[in-house]
Amino acid sequence: MFMIFGIPGPLLFGQLLLGLINGAFYAMLSLGLAVIFGMLNIINFAHGALFMMGAFVSWMLLTYVGIGYFPSLILAPLIVGIFGLLLEKTIISRLYKLDHLYGLLLTFGLALVIEGLFRNAYGSSGMPYRIPSVLQGATNLGFMYMPNYRGWVVLVAVVVCLATWAIIEKTSLGATLRAATENAPLVQAFGVDVPRLITLTYAGGVALAAFAGVLAAPIYSVNPNMGTNFINTVFAVVVIGGMGSIMGSIVTGFALGVIEGLTKVFYPQASATVVFLVMVIVLLTRPRGLFGKAA
Amino acid sequence: MFGFSRAQSIAFLAMVALIVICPYVLYPVFLMRILCMALFACAFNLMIGYVGLLSFGHAAFFGMGSYIAAWTMKNWQVDAVVAIALGGLTGAALGLVLGYLAIRRSGIYFAMITLALAQMVYFFCLQAPFTGGEDGIQQVPRGTLFGVFDLSNDMTMYWVVAIIFILGFLMVHRIIHSPFGQVLKGIRENEPRAISLGYRTDDYKLIAFVLSCLIAGVAGGTKALVFGIATLTDVHYATSGEVVLMTLLGGLGTVFGPIMGATVVVSMENYLAQFGAWVTVTQGVIFMICVLAFRRGIIGEIGGYLRLAL
């Protein structure tokens, strides 16, 4: 067995991989938060609850309907996305003229309702979700054994993040979106249906969270608290990255996951708090966040 | 009196009268929980109502005050007033550090930063040896006040809690109506203008934050003595959410709103406790109703109806 900095290599790489996986979820969640914040000026506190909902919908599809993992990757985000669309149309759209804090309070209440309902129905112990047979097993990479599913999650997350980035930065739809973020009335004057764009943005961000939830289902047990455990850390990630840049959110998410993984190797006691410590350092040196724009 | 308007004086006297009468009708321990949470909500209201900053991490100061009061009481057998004062000072000290970081941003970011910092405090409490981890600090004696009054008697404890609450309430009111409080309101309304007038707005915000945390710590310490227990629940973000809910429901920036909100929320939890997670669902629904249709809160609506600032 070879050693790196006095740490067995497999242990180090194993934790790095775990860090990358957490980072993948941080990236997908903070990306959705950033996109929604850009358009709606709302911090979607219900993001964690909708992530959990994504995992639960895929579990329900498998348990009640017999629909497997791969169709769920499309279906669950679609279902949760439609739910998000209805939420935006009926409730959230009433808040745009108010102080931004009301959006935060409303979505916080929404998160409580969603989590409470799932806890009533399924308890908080959690349900297992089997890894699909194609992705079971592990591959020998030479320096470590990598469980196939974990490699798959990192790969898919990177692809989805880059695709989102490409849609927003490189397509004409994305250009309209960015323009509407900068100056909505002007874009509307050009004949773009901005309210519809806002609705679709919210649904898209929510679907992204649900997609992350489906990916997470086989790794963590499907339980009503799984979103909350993530979302508090994701808020710190968002503060560190600043919400100005899409690529910034992705990079920050992955990087913090890796830092967390490494901390687990070298100083496990601090692994739960290291993201928050990074946030403190960033606040002291660059209060606007690493990729934040001037206020 | 303390800058109260005529209507507020009447409301204040009515509140004091209720505090005096209620323990003869209702269970004192239940009332003490309301008073502790009401004081906590008043502390939170100082920030959101008068500085315009939404702290989503106030449980950190409440919970730390609770832990320190419980720990000193249990291990050093100090006087109750010392334990509660230490709880308050711990809240203030923590508030100074976290507030120094958080006031660098405002609006939504301030809320997220305070939430994240409080989460850090939560993980610290989960691992630190003195908090007892998942078990918390249990069987904390109530001790005596000034070495004279035995607080193990519920009624004696009640009067102490009532006095702490009223003093805390008056302190918040005094802060708001001092020249310092006027500057805070000025910052809330137009910060660039306050800066151009020469006020160091960051200092003002930080002092307000520390004062708010001091009172939150006192509320937490008092709560720890009343129930003889300090646990992770006190530092959990759900407690932060609860105090936001109380203040929102009662009326942000109203004098009596937080107290009304705390009364309703604590009573609701008490009666709904048997239904498990429905408490969470109900709280969430109240949040949404308040934001969508009821933004002035109970006291704000009553005040609006009577054309009075309550």
Side-chain angles (χ1 to χ4, degrees):
Chain A
M1 187 186 290
F2 64 100
M3 309 283 272
I4 298 168
F5 302 127
I7 306 282
L11 173 66
L12 182 67
F13 287 114
Q15 288 297 346
L16 259 181
L17 181 65
L18 275 181
L20 267 180
I21 289 184
N22 273 336
F25 293 122
Y26 296 156
M28 282 186 284
L29 290 175
S30 65
L31 183 61
L33 279 181
V35 173
I36 291 175
F37 181 74
M39 273 307 275
L40 285 77
N41 269 323
I42 276 180
I43 272 295
N44 188 28
F45 225 113
H47 220 64
L50 294 162
F51 163 83
M52 177 271 289
M53 226 173 133
F56 254 102
V57 168
S58 68
W59 179 85
M60 287 156 132
L61 285 174
L62 183 72
T63 314
Y64 301 136
V65 197
I67 294 177
Y69 174 82
F70 290 102
S72 275
L73 270 182
I74 308 290
L75 276 179
L78 204 65
I79 294 169
V80 179
I82 291 170
F83 177 69
L85 194 138
L86 295 175
L87 278 183
E88 199 279 341
K89 274 279 175 215
T90 52
I91 301 175
I92 296 172
S93 58
R94 294 162 189 265
L95 298 180
Y96 297 141
K97 291 192 183 72
L98 301 171
D99 192 310
H100 302 168
L101 289 176
Y102 284 113
L104 188 139
L105 294 175
L106 179 88
T107 48
F108 179 74
L110 200 61
L112 289 181
V113 172
I114 296 173
E115 284 178 5
L117 288 175
F118 274 97
R119 208 170 300 146
N120 269 326
Y122 296 99
S124 30
S125 50
M127 258 69 88
Y129 188 97
R130 274 173 63 83
I131 295 175
S133 50
V134 190
L135 296 171
Q136 279 173 7
T139 310
N140 188 355
L141 296 178
F143 52 89
M144 66 175 287
Y145 278 97
M146 183 181 69
N148 288 343
Y149 187 75
R150 308 211 153 177
W152 159 258
V153 168
V154 174
L155 189 75
V156 173
V158 170
V159 169
V160 166
C161 284
L162 290 179
T164 313
W165 171 82
I167 289 172
I168 292 173
E169 298 289 335
K170 301 288 173 199
T171 65
S172 68
L173 174 70
T176 317
L177 201 76
R178 278 179 288 134
T181 307
E182 293 288 328
N183 192 338
L186 194 63
V187 172
Q188 193 145 22
F190 280 112
V192 175
D193 189 348
V194 172
R196 177 186 287 174
L197 201 60
I198 290 176
T199 309
L200 289 177
T201 306
Y202 187 76
V206 163
L208 199 60
F211 183 81
V214 183
L215 284 181
I219 298 183
Y220 311 96
S221 71
V222 179
N223 74 80
N225 306 321
M226 64 191 289
T228 321
N229 297 342
F230 261 110
I231 203 69
N232 286 330
T233 315
V234 170
F235 280 139
V237 173
V238 164
V239 172
I240 293 167
M243 286 188 288
S245 134
I246 299 296
M247 202 42 117
S249 303
I250 300 171
V251 172
T252 317
F254 276 103
L256 284 166
V258 169
I259 290 174
E260 212 178 43
L262 290 178
T263 315
K264 268 197 194 110
V265 180
F266 292 102
Y267 190 65
Q269 293 90 328
S271 63
T273 41
V274 67
V275 173
F276 303 110
L277 289 175
V278 173
M279 182 185 83
V280 167
I281 295 167
V282 168
L283 279 175
L284 286 172
T285 51
R286 256 189 85 92
R288 272 182 277 113
L290 297 177
F291 299 91
K293 292 180 215 154
Chain B
M1 187 176 66
F2 289 102
F4 280 129
S5 70
R6 203 179 133 81
Q8 286 168 344
S9 302
I10 294 170
F12 177 69
L13 292 176
M15 182 181 79
V16 173
L18 274 176
I19 290 175
V20 173
I21 295 166
C22 278
Y24 296 102
V25 188
L26 296 162
Y27 184 43
V29 175
F30 166 69
L31 293 172
M32 284 191 273
R33 178 163 170 79
I34 292 182
L35 288 177
C36 290
M37 293 316 276
L39 184 58
F40 183 26
C42 286
F44 171 80
N45 191 35
L46 178 62
M47 283 311 288
I48 179 72
Y50 300 95
V51 195
L53 290 174
L54 173 72
S55 162
F56 228 103
H58 249 50
F61 315 109
F62 180 79
M64 267 304 196
S66 169
Y67 272 128
I68 295 298
W71 194 89
T72 49
M73 199 67 197
K74 191 163 181 179
N75 292 286
W76 293 346
Q77 281 85 38
V78 292
D79 198 90
V81 75
V82 176
I84 293 172
L86 282 174
L89 289 176
T90 309
L94 189 64
L96 185 65
V97 179
L98 302 193
Y100 175 75
L101 296 165
I103 54 160
R104 288 159 179 267
R105 301 297 302 267
S106 58
I108 284 173
Y109 278 99
F110 183 85
M112 286 196 292
I113 291 167
T114 44
L115 175 73
L117 291 171
Q119 194 68 11
M120 188 161 90
V121 172
Y122 174 82
F123 283 121
F124 169 76
C125 291
L126 185 63
Q127 292 176 344
F130 81 95
T131 60
E134 303 269 1
D135 298 331
I137 305 175
Q138 297 184 8
Q139 289 168 333
V140 180
R142 281 184 187 167
T144 56
L145 183 71
F146 306 128
V148 181
F149 302 104
D150 179 15
L151 297 181
S152 57
N153 180 312
D154 275 350
M155 279 311 268
T156 318
M157 186 78 215
Y158 179 83
W159 296 122
V160 174
V161 174
I163 288 166
I164 291 172
F165 166 74
I166 292 173
L167 289 177
F169 174 79
L170 290 176
M171 181 176 155
V172 172
H173 199 76
R174 191 71 204 91
I175 293 169
I176 294 165
H177 289 86
S178 65
F180 170 76
Q182 299 300 328
V183 177
L184 288 183
K185 277 181 249 177
I187 294 172
R188 179 188 66 186
E189 297 303 326
N190 192 337
E191 185 168 355
R193 181 141 184 217
I195 294 172
S196 74
L197 286 171
Y199 291 106
R200 295 183 184 183
T201 56
D202 278 357
D203 291 359
Y204 276 87
K205 285 195 260 183
L206 184 57
I207 293 169
F209 193 74
V210 171
L211 287 169
S212 171
C213 296
L214 172 81
I215 299 168
V218 168
T222 313
K223 194 236 76 178
L225 291 197
V226 170
F227 294 96
I229 186 168
T231 64
L232 285 172
T233 313
D234 300 335
V235 280
H236 193 254
Y237 87 96
T239 305
S240 299
E242 218 170 275
V243 78
V244 179
L245 177 64
M246 289 172 188
T247 314
L248 180 68
L249 177 63
L252 298 176
T254 60
V255 180
F256 295 96
I259 300 154
M260 173 61 94
T263 310
V264 174
V265 172
V266 173
S267 312
M268 193 192 77
E269 282 167 5
N270 200 40
Y271 293 111
L272 286 181
Q274 49 185 320
F275 299 109
W278 287 112
V279 178
T280 322
V281 179
T282 317
Q283 284 181 343
V285 170
I286 296 176
F287 250 111
M288 293 170 65
I289 294 174
C290 281
V291 173
L292 288 172
F294 199 53
R295 280 183 289 278
R296 288 194 293 181
I298 299 173
I299 294 291
E301 290 291 337
I302 295 175
Y305 183 71
L306 299 173
R307 293 164 196 274
L308 294 168
L310 287 174

